[in-house]
mmCIF file of all heavy atoms in Angstrom:
data_model
loop_
_atom_site.group_PDB
_atom_site.id
_atom_site.type_symbol
_atom_site.label_atom_id
_atom_site.label_comp_id
_atom_site.label_asym_id
_atom_site.label_seq_id
_atom_site.Cartn_x
_atom_site.Cartn_y
_atom_site.Cartn_z
ATOM 1 N N ALA D 144 -24.002 66.549 -191.811
ATOM 2 C CA ALA D 144 -24.550 66.707 -190.524
ATOM 3 C C ALA D 144 -23.678 67.589 -189.623
ATOM 4 O O ALA D 144 -22.530 67.450 -189.355
ATOM 5 C CB ALA D 144 -24.662 65.270 -189.958
ATOM 6 N N PHE D 145 -24.423 68.608 -189.054
ATOM 7 C CA PHE D 145 -23.797 69.635 -188.001
ATOM 8 C C PHE D 145 -24.216 68.996 -186.642
ATOM 9 O O PHE D 145 -25.367 69.051 -186.413
ATOM 10 C CB PHE D 145 -24.372 70.937 -188.312
ATOM 11 C CG PHE D 145 -24.056 71.525 -189.644
ATOM 12 C CD1 PHE D 145 -25.015 71.463 -190.758
ATOM 13 C CD2 PHE D 145 -22.778 72.149 -189.892
ATOM 14 C CE1 PHE D 145 -24.761 72.002 -191.915
ATOM 15 C CE2 PHE D 145 -22.567 72.833 -191.079
ATOM 16 C CZ PHE D 145 -23.454 72.633 -192.168
ATOM 17 N N LEU D 146 -23.211 68.743 -185.870
ATOM 18 C CA LEU D 146 -23.425 68.038 -184.636
ATOM 19 C C LEU D 146 -23.010 68.850 -183.396
ATOM 20 O O LEU D 146 -22.113 69.693 -183.532
ATOM 21 C CB LEU D 146 -22.768 66.744 -184.677
ATOM 22 C CG LEU D 146 -22.978 65.808 -185.849
ATOM 23 C CD1 LEU D 146 -22.183 64.508 -185.792
ATOM 24 C CD2 LEU D 146 -24.590 65.382 -185.926
ATOM 25 N N GLY D 147 -23.633 68.648 -182.334
ATOM 26 C CA GLY D 147 -23.298 69.393 -181.033
ATOM 27 C C GLY D 147 -22.349 68.580 -180.163
ATOM 28 O O GLY D 147 -22.263 68.785 -179.010
ATOM 29 N N GLY D 148 -21.665 67.649 -180.766
ATOM 30 C CA GLY D 148 -20.678 66.838 -180.119
ATOM 31 C C GLY D 148 -19.719 66.201 -181.002
ATOM 32 O O GLY D 148 -19.999 66.122 -182.320
ATOM 33 N N VAL D 149 -18.626 65.616 -180.601
ATOM 34 C CA VAL D 149 -17.600 64.956 -181.504
ATOM 35 C C VAL D 149 -17.972 63.374 -181.590
ATOM 36 O O VAL D 149 -17.944 62.729 -180.652
ATOM 37 C CB VAL D 149 -16.222 65.220 -180.986
ATOM 38 C CG1 VAL D 149 -15.252 64.400 -181.849
ATOM 39 C CG2 VAL D 149 -15.953 66.648 -180.943
ATOM 40 N N THR D 150 -18.272 62.917 -182.733
ATOM 41 C CA THR D 150 -18.626 61.564 -182.924
ATOM 42 C C THR D 150 -17.305 60.741 -182.817
ATOM 43 O O THR D 150 -16.299 61.123 -183.393
ATOM 44 C CB THR D 150 -19.225 61.276 -184.199
ATOM 45 O OG1 THR D 150 -18.382 61.554 -185.315
ATOM 46 C CG2 THR D 150 -20.534 62.033 -184.434
ATOM 47 N N GLU D 151 -17.418 59.527 -182.204
ATOM 48 C CA GLU D 151 -16.260 58.679 -182.228
ATOM 49 C C GLU D 151 -15.896 58.042 -183.569
ATOM 50 O O GLU D 151 -14.743 57.845 -183.890
ATOM 51 C CB GLU D 151 -16.546 57.421 -181.223
ATOM 52 C CG GLU D 151 -16.845 57.907 -179.791
ATOM 53 C CD GLU D 151 -15.572 58.306 -178.983
ATOM 54 O OE1 GLU D 151 -14.519 58.289 -179.691
ATOM 55 O OE2 GLU D 151 -15.777 58.657 -177.784
ATOM 56 N N ASN D 152 -16.973 57.854 -184.361
ATOM 57 C CA ASN D 152 -16.629 57.277 -185.737
ATOM 58 C C ASN D 152 -15.823 58.237 -186.609
ATOM 59 O O ASN D 152 -14.997 57.709 -187.319
ATOM 60 C CB ASN D 152 -18.039 56.946 -186.454
ATOM 61 C CG ASN D 152 -18.773 55.860 -185.772
ATOM 62 O OD1 ASN D 152 -19.367 56.014 -184.759
ATOM 63 N ND2 ASN D 152 -18.650 54.675 -186.389
ATOM 64 N N TYR D 153 -16.182 59.478 -186.549
ATOM 65 C CA TYR D 153 -15.541 60.534 -187.431
ATOM 66 C C TYR D 153 -14.492 61.401 -186.756
ATOM 67 O O TYR D 153 -13.929 62.249 -187.495
ATOM 68 C CB TYR D 153 -16.643 61.369 -188.190
ATOM 69 C CG TYR D 153 -17.708 60.374 -188.801
ATOM 70 C CD1 TYR D 153 -18.758 60.032 -188.080
ATOM 71 C CD2 TYR D 153 -17.515 60.090 -190.165
ATOM 72 C CE1 TYR D 153 -19.789 59.227 -188.772
ATOM 73 C CE2 TYR D 153 -18.427 59.277 -190.737
ATOM 74 C CZ TYR D 153 -19.609 58.829 -189.982
ATOM 75 O OH TYR D 153 -20.468 58.001 -190.650
ATOM 76 N N ASN D 154 -14.489 61.356 -185.504
ATOM 77 C CA ASN D 154 -13.626 62.226 -184.668
ATOM 78 C C ASN D 154 -13.856 63.649 -185.049
ATOM 79 O O ASN D 154 -12.882 64.538 -185.208
ATOM 80 C CB ASN D 154 -12.083 61.858 -184.858
ATOM 81 C CG ASN D 154 -11.296 62.610 -183.793
ATOM 82 O OD1 ASN D 154 -11.692 62.783 -182.671
ATOM 83 N ND2 ASN D 154 -10.060 62.860 -184.005
ATOM 84 N N SER D 155 -15.132 63.994 -185.260
ATOM 85 C CA SER D 155 -15.433 65.366 -185.672
ATOM 86 C C SER D 155 -17.002 65.684 -185.299
ATOM 87 O O SER D 155 -17.640 64.694 -185.051
ATOM 88 C CB SER D 155 -15.329 65.455 -187.248
ATOM 89 O OG SER D 155 -15.669 66.759 -187.710
ATOM 90 N N ASN D 156 -17.239 66.953 -185.300
ATOM 91 C CA ASN D 156 -18.707 67.382 -185.136
ATOM 92 C C ASN D 156 -19.322 67.722 -186.494
ATOM 93 O O ASN D 156 -20.411 68.349 -186.467
ATOM 94 C CB ASN D 156 -18.724 68.623 -184.161
ATOM 95 C CG ASN D 156 -17.883 69.719 -184.623
ATOM 96 O OD1 ASN D 156 -17.121 69.672 -185.540
ATOM 97 N ND2 ASN D 156 -18.011 70.818 -183.805
ATOM 98 N N LEU D 157 -18.661 67.311 -187.485
ATOM 99 C CA LEU D 157 -19.251 67.491 -188.893
ATOM 100 C C LEU D 157 -19.097 66.210 -189.701
ATOM 101 O O LEU D 157 -17.954 65.709 -189.828
ATOM 102 C CB LEU D 157 -18.453 68.690 -189.671
ATOM 103 C CG LEU D 157 -18.965 68.900 -191.096
ATOM 104 C CD1 LEU D 157 -20.347 69.641 -191.029
ATOM 105 C CD2 LEU D 157 -17.912 69.767 -191.710
ATOM 106 N N ILE D 158 -20.138 65.787 -190.278
ATOM 107 C CA ILE D 158 -20.170 64.655 -191.224
ATOM 108 C C ILE D 158 -20.409 65.224 -192.620
ATOM 109 O O ILE D 158 -21.449 66.045 -192.795
ATOM 110 C CB ILE D 158 -21.312 63.545 -190.913
ATOM 111 C CG1 ILE D 158 -20.994 63.011 -189.509
ATOM 112 C CG2 ILE D 158 -21.140 62.489 -191.938
ATOM 113 C CD1 ILE D 158 -22.046 61.992 -189.046
ATOM 114 N N TYR D 159 -19.546 65.021 -193.484
ATOM 115 C CA TYR D 159 -19.595 65.784 -194.773
ATOM 116 C C TYR D 159 -19.551 64.721 -195.953
ATOM 117 O O TYR D 159 -18.506 64.358 -196.471
ATOM 118 C CB TYR D 159 -18.425 66.724 -194.858
ATOM 119 C CG TYR D 159 -18.484 67.727 -196.013
ATOM 120 C CD1 TYR D 159 -19.379 68.841 -196.065
ATOM 121 C CD2 TYR D 159 -17.607 67.689 -197.100
ATOM 122 C CE1 TYR D 159 -19.380 69.693 -197.139
ATOM 123 C CE2 TYR D 159 -17.616 68.578 -198.178
ATOM 124 C CZ TYR D 159 -18.487 69.587 -198.122
ATOM 125 O OH TYR D 159 -18.529 70.498 -199.170
ATOM 126 N N LYS D 160 -20.643 64.327 -196.387
ATOM 127 C CA LYS D 160 -20.751 63.322 -197.500
ATOM 128 C C LYS D 160 -21.667 63.845 -198.709
ATOM 129 O O LYS D 160 -22.103 63.006 -199.547
ATOM 130 C CB LYS D 160 -21.427 62.034 -196.987
ATOM 131 C CG LYS D 160 -20.563 61.369 -195.831
ATOM 132 C CD LYS D 160 -19.270 60.726 -196.305
ATOM 133 C CE LYS D 160 -18.617 59.962 -195.164
ATOM 134 N NZ LYS D 160 -17.334 59.354 -195.643
ATOM 135 N N GLY D 161 -21.940 65.114 -198.694
ATOM 136 C CA GLY D 161 -22.804 65.632 -199.792
ATOM 137 C C GLY D 161 -23.653 66.675 -199.181
ATOM 138 O O GLY D 161 -23.676 66.885 -198.004
ATOM 139 N N SER D 162 -24.414 67.343 -200.057
ATOM 140 C CA SER D 162 -25.256 68.467 -199.568
ATOM 141 C C SER D 162 -26.788 68.477 -199.785
ATOM 142 O O SER D 162 -27.541 69.385 -199.538
ATOM 143 C CB SER D 162 -24.678 69.851 -200.072
ATOM 144 O OG SER D 162 -24.668 69.757 -201.404
ATOM 145 N N GLU D 163 -27.153 67.317 -200.356
ATOM 146 C CA GLU D 163 -28.574 67.194 -200.743
ATOM 147 C C GLU D 163 -29.396 67.130 -199.501
ATOM 148 O O GLU D 163 -30.624 67.445 -199.408
ATOM 149 C CB GLU D 163 -28.806 66.065 -201.617
ATOM 150 C CG GLU D 163 -28.296 66.260 -203.038
ATOM 151 C CD GLU D 163 -28.572 65.053 -203.974
ATOM 152 O OE1 GLU D 163 -29.582 64.339 -203.762
ATOM 153 O OE2 GLU D 163 -27.707 64.743 -204.774
ATOM 154 N N ILE D 164 -28.914 66.411 -198.447
ATOM 155 C CA ILE D 164 -29.493 66.169 -197.195
ATOM 156 C C ILE D 164 -28.753 66.923 -196.019
ATOM 157 O O ILE D 164 -27.469 66.753 -196.046
ATOM 158 C CB ILE D 164 -29.772 64.772 -196.849
ATOM 159 C CG1 ILE D 164 -30.567 63.977 -197.933
ATOM 160 C CG2 ILE D 164 -30.411 64.517 -195.475
ATOM 161 C CD1 ILE D 164 -30.641 62.537 -197.794
ATOM 162 N N MET D 165 -29.412 67.661 -195.245
ATOM 163 C CA MET D 165 -28.644 68.265 -194.158
ATOM 164 C C MET D 165 -29.340 67.918 -192.773
ATOM 165 O O MET D 165 -30.505 68.025 -192.615
ATOM 166 C CB MET D 165 -28.723 69.812 -194.239
ATOM 167 C CG MET D 165 -27.876 70.318 -195.387
ATOM 168 S SD MET D 165 -26.787 71.613 -195.033
ATOM 169 C CE MET D 165 -25.821 71.759 -196.560
ATOM 170 N N VAL D 166 -28.512 67.340 -191.822
ATOM 171 C CA VAL D 166 -28.927 67.079 -190.495
ATOM 172 C C VAL D 166 -28.544 68.193 -189.577
ATOM 173 O O VAL D 166 -27.337 68.495 -189.478
ATOM 174 C CB VAL D 166 -28.366 65.694 -189.978
ATOM 175 C CG1 VAL D 166 -28.762 65.435 -188.549
ATOM 176 C CG2 VAL D 166 -28.856 64.624 -190.881
ATOM 177 N N VAL D 167 -29.431 68.787 -188.830
ATOM 178 C CA VAL D 167 -29.095 69.865 -187.913
ATOM 179 C C VAL D 167 -29.699 69.580 -186.557
ATOM 180 O O VAL D 167 -30.781 69.085 -186.547
ATOM 181 C CB VAL D 167 -29.615 71.247 -188.559
ATOM 182 C CG1 VAL D 167 -28.892 71.448 -189.870
ATOM 183 C CG2 VAL D 167 -31.069 71.312 -188.645
ATOM 184 N N GLU D 168 -29.086 70.111 -185.584
ATOM 185 C CA GLU D 168 -29.569 70.103 -184.263
ATOM 186 C C GLU D 168 -30.510 71.379 -184.080
ATOM 187 O O GLU D 168 -29.984 72.471 -184.347
ATOM 188 C CB GLU D 168 -28.607 70.086 -183.096
ATOM 189 C CG GLU D 168 -27.886 68.791 -183.109
ATOM 190 C CD GLU D 168 -26.987 68.666 -181.876
ATOM 191 O OE1 GLU D 168 -27.393 69.306 -180.777
ATOM 192 O OE2 GLU D 168 -25.950 67.952 -181.861
ATOM 193 N N ALA D 169 -31.772 71.146 -183.781
ATOM 194 C CA ALA D 169 -32.643 72.252 -183.716
ATOM 195 C C ALA D 169 -32.705 72.787 -182.204
ATOM 196 O O ALA D 169 -33.485 72.152 -181.416
ATOM 197 C CB ALA D 169 -34.131 71.859 -184.094
ATOM 198 N N ASP D 170 -31.923 73.767 -181.928
ATOM 199 C CA ASP D 170 -31.658 74.116 -180.533
ATOM 200 C C ASP D 170 -32.889 75.180 -180.085
ATOM 201 O O ASP D 170 -33.123 76.072 -180.682
ATOM 202 C CB ASP D 170 -30.359 74.900 -180.451
ATOM 203 C CG ASP D 170 -29.945 75.188 -179.106
ATOM 204 O OD1 ASP D 170 -30.671 74.831 -178.140
ATOM 205 O OD2 ASP D 170 -28.826 75.727 -178.848
ATOM 206 N N GLU D 171 -33.429 74.722 -178.919
ATOM 207 C CA GLU D 171 -34.512 75.562 -178.325
ATOM 208 C C GLU D 171 -33.984 76.723 -177.622
ATOM 209 O O GLU D 171 -34.817 77.627 -177.412
ATOM 210 C CB GLU D 171 -35.411 74.669 -177.433
ATOM 211 C CG GLU D 171 -34.849 74.319 -176.101
ATOM 212 C CD GLU D 171 -33.878 73.070 -176.202
ATOM 213 O OE1 GLU D 171 -33.514 72.629 -177.393
ATOM 214 O OE2 GLU D 171 -33.339 72.726 -175.076
ATOM 215 N N PHE D 172 -32.715 76.800 -177.290
ATOM 216 C CA PHE D 172 -32.171 77.926 -176.529
ATOM 217 C C PHE D 172 -32.415 79.182 -177.344
ATOM 218 O O PHE D 172 -32.138 79.256 -178.488
ATOM 219 C CB PHE D 172 -30.709 77.725 -176.263
ATOM 220 C CG PHE D 172 -30.070 79.056 -175.522
ATOM 221 C CD1 PHE D 172 -30.346 79.244 -174.302
ATOM 222 C CD2 PHE D 172 -29.260 79.772 -176.347
ATOM 223 C CE1 PHE D 172 -29.825 80.445 -173.688
ATOM 224 C CE2 PHE D 172 -28.719 80.890 -175.784
ATOM 225 C CZ PHE D 172 -28.998 81.145 -174.375
ATOM 226 N N ASP D 173 -32.938 80.219 -176.672
ATOM 227 C CA ASP D 173 -33.381 81.525 -177.337
ATOM 228 C C ASP D 173 -34.176 81.345 -178.636
ATOM 229 O O ASP D 173 -34.157 82.271 -179.524
ATOM 230 C CB ASP D 173 -32.128 82.434 -177.472
ATOM 231 C CG ASP D 173 -31.212 82.093 -178.617
ATOM 232 O OD1 ASP D 173 -31.448 81.054 -179.321
ATOM 233 O OD2 ASP D 173 -30.241 82.939 -178.848
ATOM 234 N N ARG D 174 -34.911 80.284 -178.650
ATOM 235 C CA ARG D 174 -35.890 80.059 -179.775
ATOM 236 C C ARG D 174 -35.088 79.855 -181.180
ATOM 237 O O ARG D 174 -35.764 80.068 -182.167
ATOM 238 C CB ARG D 174 -36.931 81.105 -179.843
ATOM 239 C CG ARG D 174 -37.797 81.156 -178.542
ATOM 240 C CD ARG D 174 -38.798 82.316 -178.652
ATOM 241 N NE ARG D 174 -39.686 82.256 -177.589
ATOM 242 C CZ ARG D 174 -39.534 82.672 -176.251
ATOM 243 N NH1 ARG D 174 -38.391 83.287 -175.981
ATOM 244 N NH2 ARG D 174 -40.461 82.686 -175.355
ATOM 245 N N SER D 175 -33.820 79.415 -181.201
ATOM 246 C CA SER D 175 -33.059 79.419 -182.300
ATOM 247 C C SER D 175 -33.696 78.581 -183.374
ATOM 248 O O SER D 175 -33.694 78.813 -184.506
ATOM 249 C CB SER D 175 -31.709 78.801 -181.976
ATOM 250 O OG SER D 175 -30.881 79.703 -181.203
ATOM 251 N N PHE D 176 -34.361 77.364 -182.985
ATOM 252 C CA PHE D 176 -34.815 76.486 -183.897
ATOM 253 C C PHE D 176 -35.965 77.032 -184.824
ATOM 254 O O PHE D 176 -36.385 76.403 -185.928
ATOM 255 C CB PHE D 176 -35.240 75.156 -183.385
ATOM 256 C CG PHE D 176 -36.260 75.238 -182.286
ATOM 257 C CD1 PHE D 176 -36.935 76.310 -181.811
ATOM 258 C CD2 PHE D 176 -36.633 74.013 -181.528
ATOM 259 C CE1 PHE D 176 -37.872 76.306 -180.811
ATOM 260 C CE2 PHE D 176 -37.611 73.931 -180.557
ATOM 261 C CZ PHE D 176 -38.290 75.134 -180.208
ATOM 262 N N LEU D 177 -36.516 78.207 -184.433
ATOM 263 C CA LEU D 177 -37.653 78.767 -185.282
ATOM 264 C C LEU D 177 -36.974 79.323 -186.580
ATOM 265 O O LEU D 177 -37.833 79.730 -187.442
ATOM 266 C CB LEU D 177 -38.398 79.775 -184.499
ATOM 267 C CG LEU D 177 -39.135 79.254 -183.183
ATOM 268 C CD1 LEU D 177 -39.903 80.322 -182.546
ATOM 269 C CD2 LEU D 177 -40.069 78.052 -183.567
ATOM 270 N N HIS D 178 -35.686 79.417 -186.680
ATOM 271 C CA HIS D 178 -35.152 79.927 -187.946
ATOM 272 C C HIS D 178 -35.044 78.878 -188.931
ATOM 273 O O HIS D 178 -34.690 79.155 -190.149
ATOM 274 C CB HIS D 178 -33.647 80.438 -187.690
ATOM 275 C CG HIS D 178 -33.628 81.659 -186.833
ATOM 276 N ND1 HIS D 178 -34.094 82.950 -187.226
ATOM 277 C CD2 HIS D 178 -33.227 81.945 -185.632
ATOM 278 C CE1 HIS D 178 -33.937 83.865 -186.339
ATOM 279 N NE2 HIS D 178 -33.372 83.236 -185.344
ATOM 280 N N LEU D 179 -35.252 77.547 -188.593
ATOM 281 C CA LEU D 179 -35.124 76.532 -189.567
ATOM 282 C C LEU D 179 -36.355 76.374 -190.418
ATOM 283 O O LEU D 179 -37.504 76.703 -190.075
ATOM 284 C CB LEU D 179 -34.739 75.252 -188.800
ATOM 285 C CG LEU D 179 -33.542 75.188 -187.935
ATOM 286 C CD1 LEU D 179 -33.437 73.922 -187.108
ATOM 287 C CD2 LEU D 179 -32.278 75.335 -188.828
ATOM 288 N N LYS D 180 -36.138 75.598 -191.572
ATOM 289 C CA LYS D 180 -37.232 75.172 -192.361
ATOM 290 C C LYS D 180 -37.161 73.672 -192.634
ATOM 291 O O LYS D 180 -36.744 73.209 -193.687
ATOM 292 C CB LYS D 180 -37.151 75.936 -193.744
ATOM 293 C CG LYS D 180 -37.347 77.389 -193.606
ATOM 294 C CD LYS D 180 -37.204 78.059 -194.981
ATOM 295 C CE LYS D 180 -37.617 79.616 -194.834
ATOM 296 N NZ LYS D 180 -36.668 80.308 -193.884
ATOM 297 N N PRO D 181 -37.560 72.859 -191.663
ATOM 298 C CA PRO D 181 -37.357 71.410 -191.734
ATOM 299 C C PRO D 181 -38.351 70.702 -192.587
ATOM 300 O O PRO D 181 -39.519 71.074 -192.624
ATOM 301 C CB PRO D 181 -37.505 71.026 -190.263
ATOM 302 C CG PRO D 181 -38.445 71.963 -189.660
ATOM 303 C CD PRO D 181 -38.089 73.189 -190.287
ATOM 304 N N ASN D 182 -37.890 69.748 -193.457
ATOM 305 C CA ASN D 182 -38.715 68.882 -194.135
ATOM 306 C C ASN D 182 -39.111 67.720 -193.404
ATOM 307 O O ASN D 182 -40.209 67.186 -193.449
ATOM 308 C CB ASN D 182 -38.038 68.438 -195.400
ATOM 309 C CG ASN D 182 -37.506 69.572 -196.314
ATOM 310 O OD1 ASN D 182 -36.398 70.027 -196.202
ATOM 311 N ND2 ASN D 182 -38.344 70.144 -197.174
ATOM 312 N N ILE D 183 -38.236 67.264 -192.533
ATOM 313 C CA ILE D 183 -38.511 66.085 -191.598
ATOM 314 C C ILE D 183 -37.826 66.554 -190.224
ATOM 315 O O ILE D 183 -36.743 67.162 -190.213
ATOM 316 C CB ILE D 183 -37.722 64.837 -192.102
ATOM 317 C CG1 ILE D 183 -38.293 64.490 -193.505
ATOM 318 C CG2 ILE D 183 -37.896 63.690 -191.130
ATOM 319 C CD1 ILE D 183 -37.384 63.409 -194.132
ATOM 320 N N ALA D 184 -38.594 66.221 -189.110
ATOM 321 C CA ALA D 184 -38.050 66.704 -187.855
ATOM 322 C C ALA D 184 -38.517 65.686 -186.865
ATOM 323 O O ALA D 184 -39.453 64.850 -186.920
ATOM 324 C CB ALA D 184 -38.636 68.069 -187.500
#
């Protein structure tokens, strides 16, 4: 999981437990999220 903040549980903005599933913040600023290919959103 790539996060836009630091989680209290992990003290990090990255949760890294494998790569089959990826959680991403789809940022609307400058239409950035249109670069993504989401399976679930």
Side-chain angles (χ1 to χ4, degrees):
F145 298 95
L146 308 174
V149 176
T150 63
E151 299 285 3
N152 291 78
Y153 304 89
N154 195 29
S155 178
N156 53 355
L157 179 73
I158 299 173
Y159 189 72
K160 300 285 185 180
S162 57
E163 290 178 33
I164 301 170
M165 294 227 172
V166 174
V167 301
E168 290 192 30
D170 190 358
E171 74 279 3
F172 175 71
D173 76 357
R174 299 175 173 83
S175 292
F176 56 3
L177 299 182
H178 292 293
L179 298 172
K180 295 179 174 60
N182 302 96
I183 299 168

